[in-house]
Amino acid sequence: MATDATEAAQGAADAAHAATEAPGMPQLDFTTFPNQVFWLVIALVVIYLILSRVALPRIAGVLADRQGSITNDIAKAEELKLKAKEAEEAYNQALADARAEAQKIIAKAKEEIQADLNDAIEKADAEIAAKSAESEKAINEIRESALESVTEVARDTTLEIVSALGHKADADAVADAVDNRLKG
Amino acid sequence: MATEEHSEGAGLAFHPMDQFIVKPLFGGDTVHWYTPTNVTLWMAITVLVIFLLLVVGTRGRATIPSRVQSIAELAYGFVHKMVEDVTGKDALKYFPYIMTLFMFIVFSNFLGLLPLAFTTTSHIAVTATLALAVFLSVTILGFVKNGAAFLGLFWVSSAPLALRPILAVIELISYFVRPVSHSVRLMGNMMAGHAVIKVFAGFAAVAVISPVSVLAVTAMYGLEVLVAFIQAYVFTILTCVYLRDALHPSH
């Protein structure tokens, strides 16, 4: 009985407590609505002013600046790339020019050497021809002189042999006879 | 028996809804429309945090951003892209309003997750005000921009002629249900999560199940962090969808 009474009292207190503190859902306590709406509107207006006046233009500016600088950098890189390509082309051109020049110089040198060589060969040929002609002449002379010597020796020998055989030989006759013999 | 029940009830004190009570900040019982309450305090903190992130965080205007500036730019880009993709390029002049909504909701939700915090977005008064503001401005904007052609939103011209009146009634009802679902979705998600955490926390008073309870609170908290962001995102993207309907009412 006593327990029941305390329980009832407790229940009543609970009910009273609930009525003042949390009537079911505080969300449905309409007395607080004007307060919440009032402060919400103020908060939203303040946020809107902060965003539209300061924050959003600033962030948009920063993003635009960054986009701009990125675009600029890419353009610059493109330009430098083009320049590098041009430089490479110029280098290649210079290399090709140098190579052609070298080729030309080599050809010229070869030509000059060939000409010198031809000259030298010609000169040598002429010298050799002159020398061989001289030698031939000398050989002919020697041969002629040798032939003459042979004739003379034959005449002299014949004259001596005829003399030795006890004949009185006429020098002219002997000479004629030897010449005839030699011719024949 | 009854006493036993009663004592157990006293040991497990569940007051999951107490966290949502609107209280005057400086004593007193009555809440007038101008009374500074915990609603005022937490909305002021929301405004302050938004100010810190978007204004103080970007004061360097650095081309290579600091961490805080990166977050601010991320938030800006996130909402900007959402408006551009969902609503279209011609809606970018409404971007500051949508950004205001998003920043307010996302920071209210996150700040509400701090222990002892008051979650302003868990109140139907707040979410309904937001949803009604969106509903009214979108409807007025639709009529101002398109005149009577805005009613073409309810006249499904791709459907067979016989079905169109029925569809028009359905479309009309769904149009007017929009602010209700829009506001109750946000408020319900925020309130339910916080209440469930509170209930699990109440169970922690019993030594045997307290480890489970603490684990459950941790898991719920993780889920609530996710929900806090997703609900802000959903509210904002739905606003963008409604705005697109107002600007381009033809199906």
Side-chain angles (χ1 to χ4, degrees):
Chain A
M1 191 67 194
T3 340
D4 275 4
T6 39
E7 203 183 325
Q10 185 67 47
D14 271 359
H17 186 257
T20 51
E21 282 292 304
M25 281 170 69
Q27 277 85 352
L28 298 179
D29 182 3
F30 293 100
T31 55
T32 64
F33 273 29
N35 181 273
Q36 294 191 50
V37 173
F38 171 65
W39 290 112
L40 172 67
V41 169
I42 287 183
L44 287 181
V45 168
V46 172
I47 295 172
Y48 175 74
L49 289 179
I50 290 173
L51 290 189
S52 62
R53 292 289 147 84
V54 188
L56 297 186
R58 184 186 288 178
I59 295 174
V62 168
L63 291 181
D65 280 0
R66 183 173 310 147
Q67 197 56 47
S69 60
I70 287 172
T71 315
N72 273 353
D73 285 359
I74 287 174
K76 214 178 267 172
E78 202 71 30
E79 207 171 285
L80 287 177
K81 201 174 158 192
L82 227 94
K83 250 182 208 167
K85 203 173 248 179
E86 257 167 38
E88 199 193 344
E89 250 159 47
Y91 165 77
N92 280 341
Q93 186 62 41
L95 203 65
D97 281 0
R99 222 170 250 158
E101 191 73 15
Q103 219 70 36
K104 225 182 262 171
I105 289 169
I106 288 169
K108 208 172 168 191
K110 242 183 207 167
E111 222 166 73
E112 272 174 22
I113 289 166
Q114 195 63 46
D116 280 1
L117 196 63
N118 285 349
D119 271 7
I121 287 171
E122 226 166 77
K123 220 183 257 174
D125 277 354
E127 232 162 76
I128 288 164
K131 272 217 174 128
S132 63
E134 219 167 85
S135 323
E136 212 162 308
K137 212 165 130 194
I139 288 165
N140 281 348
E141 256 169 37
I142 289 166
R143 190 183 281 156
E144 244 159 65
S145 75
L147 209 59
E148 228 162 81
S149 302
V150 166
T151 316
E152 209 154 297
V153 167
R155 274 181 201 154
D156 285 353
T157 311
T158 312
L159 200 60
E160 282 305 310
I161 289 167
V162 170
S163 308
L165 287 174
H167 291 284
K168 194 123 172 129
D170 186 20
D172 288 341
V174 170
D176 280 345
V178 170
D179 282 348
N180 277 341
R181 263 322 245 205
L182 279 173
K183 269 175 200 161
Chain B
M1 179 99 178
T3 332
E4 223 177 276
E5 259 180 42
H6 181 238
S7 66
E8 201 179 306
L12 279 177
F14 290 122
H15 299 297
M17 305 308 274
D18 280 8
Q19 57 178 323
F20 302 120
I21 296 171
V22 177
K23 286 181 285 232
L25 267 187
F26 308 111
D29 289 330
T30 47
V31 178
H32 300 291
W33 62 269
Y34 53 82
T35 315
T37 54
N38 45 0
V39 179
T40 318
L41 174 67
W42 285 98
M43 281 183 182
I45 293 175
T46 307
V47 172
L48 182 72
V49 171
I50 293 173
F51 180 81
L52 285 178
L53 174 65
L54 291 183
V55 177
V56 179
T58 61
R59 72 190 181 286
R61 293 182 177 81
T63 307
I64 298 161
S66 62
R67 282 180 220 178
V68 184
Q69 195 187 322
S70 273
I71 298 171
E73 286 171 9
L74 221 61
Y76 179 97
F78 180 70
V79 180
H80 197 269
K81 192 167 163 17
M82 198 196 303
V83 174
E84 200 177 329
D85 289 354
V86 177
T87 315
K89 271 207 186 309
D90 54 337
L92 281 181
K93 55 174 175 281
Y94 308 111
F95 166 64
Y97 301 99
I98 292 170
M99 186 77 176
T100 303
L101 275 182
F102 178 76
M103 293 315 283
F104 174 75
I105 295 171
V106 84
F107 276 111
S108 295
N109 291 356
F110 277 143
L111 287 170
L113 283 171
L114 295 176
L116 302 179
F118 176 81
T119 319
T120 50
T121 42
S122 68
H123 272 263
I124 189 72
V126 171
T127 59
T129 308
L130 292 173
L132 274 178
V134 169
F135 178 76
L136 288 179
S137 44
V138 159
T139 309
I140 293 168
L141 195 69
F143 277 114
V144 169
K145 286 261 166 188
N146 306 293
F150 181 59
L151 294 173
L153 186 62
F154 308 112
W155 198 249
V156 188
S157 50
S158 57
L161 192 62
L163 277 178
R164 282 184 209 173
I166 305 167
L167 283 177
V169 172
I170 295 172
E171 289 278 331
L172 203 66
I173 293 171
S174 80
Y175 188 82
F176 281 102
V177 169
R178 273 178 182 184
V180 178
S181 65
H182 206 187
S183 56
V184 170
R185 181 182 302 112
L186 177 58
M187 168 263 188
N189 271 290
M190 298 322 294
M191 185 194 73
H194 286 73
V196 167
I197 287 180
K198 207 70 170 193
V199 169
F200 278 132
F203 276 117
V206 182
V208 185
I209 45 173
S210 65
V212 182
S213 157
V214 169
L215 270 179
V217 168
T218 313
M220 274 308 291
Y221 196 91
L223 185 69
E224 281 308 295
V225 171
L226 201 68
V227 166
F229 180 77
I230 288 175
Q231 286 308 317
Y233 174 68
V234 165
F235 194 97
T236 317
I237 206 162
L238 280 176
T239 305
C240 290
V241 170
Y242 298 162
L243 188 60
R244 184 192 57 197
D245 281 350
L247 296 179
H248 315 287
S250 52
H251 275 279

